[in-house]
Amino acid sequence: MTARLAILGGTPAFADRLPFVRPAVPPRDDVFARLAPSYDAGMLTNGALVRELEERAAARLGVAHVVAVSSCTTGLMLVLRVLDHLGELDPAAPVLLPSFTFSASAHAVSWNARACRFAECDPGSFQLDVDDAKRRTDGIGAVLATHVFGAPCGAEAVEDLGAAAGVPVVFDAAHAFGARRGERAVGTFGVAEVFSLTPTKPLAAGEGGLVATQRDDVAAALRIGRDYANPGNYDTRFVGLNGRMSEIHAAVALCSLDRFDEHLERRRAIAARYRDALADVPGVAAQEIDPDDRSTFKDLTITVEPGTFGVDRDTFVRALAAEGIDTRLYFDPPAHRQQSHAVDATDLPVTDEVASRVVSLPIYPSLRDEHVDTISAVVAEVHRQSSAIRA
Ligand SMILES: *Cc1c(COP(=O)(O)O)cnc(C)c1O
């Protein structure tokens, strides 16, 4: 590609625009067939299909329990509430978490009327910087770490951090159903790990969440917690909520699972293709992932270092938009800069720097190799024509 870039008056690479995300939805007939027995029996929520999804997910992850909920946010809210109920989370103690995560991680803490204690991220992997976090553990009640963009965080080090502070560790695994940390499946770490099934995540149900835990007491409390914490006699045990999953969502999730491994493979192939193509572009870096780990590549996020690349991140995004390439700024602004959480006014210079440089590129199973090649060529061309763009 040597043509003039669209931002300089050339013809866009994607005249029809290339969407950022296109969920891999299962065939409609499969979903309806799967749903029929529950539907015809008038069982619309929390029935046989939800049970089947929980069992299949637990077997796949190799955990004792999976509890299906209405969303990952609900799951995170409930896990913190359940730890409080079980007496393992000091009332009112803050929760330590990275600022470089999706807003919902921090929202789950705030909905439990707790303060967020934000920590830095690593500038290469974007994961919680455990050394920085170690300096912020004073008085905390729990640690909540995210597996960022589907790549496992340093889960053992995060568990050690929690153990040293004497507090439970929970993982926001919204992006990471299907990820592996070495030989271990994400889902097996901490007290609980919570996955999301919204359409932007690798395994989609429409809406939904899955909480994985090895602990019988946590699973039992979550099962009543998603039902207002009503154990069956309407004498609620704690302040739960309606966090149930419907049979309709479970049917979609079960059908999505049937072809999930194929879709994960495709995501990994796309990611490898992007990484090869972008490796030689100065000033662009892909997320660092431990070579023994398997990411789901929920997102393909790169950083743009303006000095070397030639233009800053925002100009880069404008150049891609002119070519018809849709991108996202995950996660900018980071949680501690958002109006909802900025009250804590934490000083996090590394996170601010990372947030100012990130761009997430399109990645989904139906994205074709030619698309990846064209996007990569555009990225290289923006670098090559950067002085003209700056002018
Ligand atoms: C999407 C997302 C959530 C929220 O998931 P929902 O199922 O939409 O509630 C939480 N954390 C992270 C990191 C996410 O990306």
Side-chain angles (χ1 to χ4, degrees):
M1 179 177 179
T2 48
R4 190 142 50 112
L5 287 166
I7 198 172
L8 296 172
T11 310
F14 295 95
D16 297 333
R17 302 197 63 81
L18 189 72
F20 176 72
V21 65
R22 193 173 269 159
V25 292
R28 195 199 307 157
D29 290 347
D30 292 4
V31 174
F32 288 0
R34 188 78 78 137
L35 176 62
S38 288
Y39 195 88
D40 294 345
M43 175 62 82
L44 298 183
T45 195
N46 203 16
L49 292 172
V50 168
R51 269 331 72 70
E52 186 184 342
L53 174 63
E54 291 177 335
E55 279 160 23
R56 230 170 115 185
R60 182 189 170 108
L61 298 172
V63 287
H65 308 277
V66 166
V67 180
V69 286
S70 55
S71 73
C72 174
T73 309
T74 307
L76 291 167
M77 288 164 61
L78 276 173
V79 168
L80 294 176
R81 181 58 55 105
V82 159
L83 288 171
D84 186 329
H85 169 65
L86 295 174
E88 294 175 33
L89 182 46
D90 270 2
V95 173
L96 180 70
L97 75 166
S99 170
F100 196 75
T101 180
F102 186 62
S103 56
S105 322
H107 287 359
V109 174
S110 297
W111 270 98
N112 276 281
R114 289 169 186 281
C116 293
R117 174 85 51 83
F118 291 115
E120 291 279 31
C121 65
D122 178 273
S125 70
F126 315 143
Q127 309 286 358
L128 175 68
D129 177 342
V130 175
D131 290 327
D132 177 82
K134 271 180 193 151
R135 294 190 284 273
R136 303 178 192 265
T137 56
D138 194 34
I140 60 165
V143 177
L144 172 60
T146 301
H147 299 294
V148 177
F149 305 138
C153 66
E156 308 83 0
V158 177
E159 286 181 334
D160 291 348
L161 172 78
V167 300
V169 173
V170 178
F171 290 94
D172 180 339
H175 303 174
F177 192 87
R180 297 193 77 85
R181 170 95 178 135
E183 293 301 305
R184 262 177 86 175
V186 166
T188 60
F189 292 96
V191 170
E193 302 211 52
V194 189
F195 301 98
S196 171
L197 307 181
T198 67
T200 60
K201 312 294 157 84
L203 179 67
E207 296 291 349
L210 297 173
V211 188
T213 181
Q214 302 281 24
R215 279 182 46 185
D216 300 350
D217 57 344
V218 170
L222 286 168
R223 285 184 195 288
I224 67 161
R226 72 178 169 190
D227 210 11
Y228 324 103
N230 167 21
N233 62 359
Y234 297 95
D235 182 9
T236 55
R237 300 278 173 80
F238 55 95
V239 180
L241 41 74
N242 175 357
R244 296 184 299 264
M245 177 182 281
S246 79
E247 289 287 279
I248 300 152
H249 292 94
V252 180
L254 282 165
C255 292
S256 293
L257 262 180
D258 292 341
R259 294 186 57 198
F260 184 59
D261 285 313
E262 214 176 291
H263 292 150
L264 268 187
E265 276 317 307
R266 180 67 195 138
R267 283 180 175 278
R268 287 172 178 147
I270 292 169
R273 198 172 183 92
Y274 265 125
R275 292 163 88 93
D276 278 354
L278 297 177
D280 297 330
V281 182
V284 166
Q287 180 184 20
E288 285 170 15
I289 300 170
D290 195 318
D292 294 334
D293 290 354
R294 301 268 272 164
S295 176
T296 62
F297 292 102
K298 184 267 175 191
D299 290 302
L300 194 294
T301 300
I302 61 172
T303 52
V304 175
E305 199 283 296
T308 319
F309 185 67
V311 297
D312 64 17
R313 190 274 314 270
D314 291 341
T315 308
F316 173 68
V317 165
R318 273 202 300 282
L320 294 191
E323 301 291 342
I325 302 166
D326 196 15
T327 58
R328 292 288 184 281
L329 305 184
Y330 293 147
F331 300 108
D332 184 27
H336 81 288
R337 291 287 178 196
Q338 295 173 22
Q339 291 179 51
S340 51
H341 297 288
V343 283
D344 294 311
T346 325
D347 186 27
L348 298 173
V350 176
T351 299
D352 287 337
E353 176 91 357
V354 169
S356 74
R357 293 179 177 191
V358 282
V359 187
S360 303
L361 301 175
I363 184 166
Y364 38 89
S366 60
L367 192 72
R368 297 205 305 267
D369 285 350
E370 309 90 84
H371 295 150
V372 178
D373 295 347
T374 303
I375 295 166
S376 304
V378 166
V379 175
E381 208 54 40
V382 174
H383 164 66
R384 234 170 275 134
Q385 299 183 34
S386 58
S387 48
I389 297 172
R390 283 201 311 275

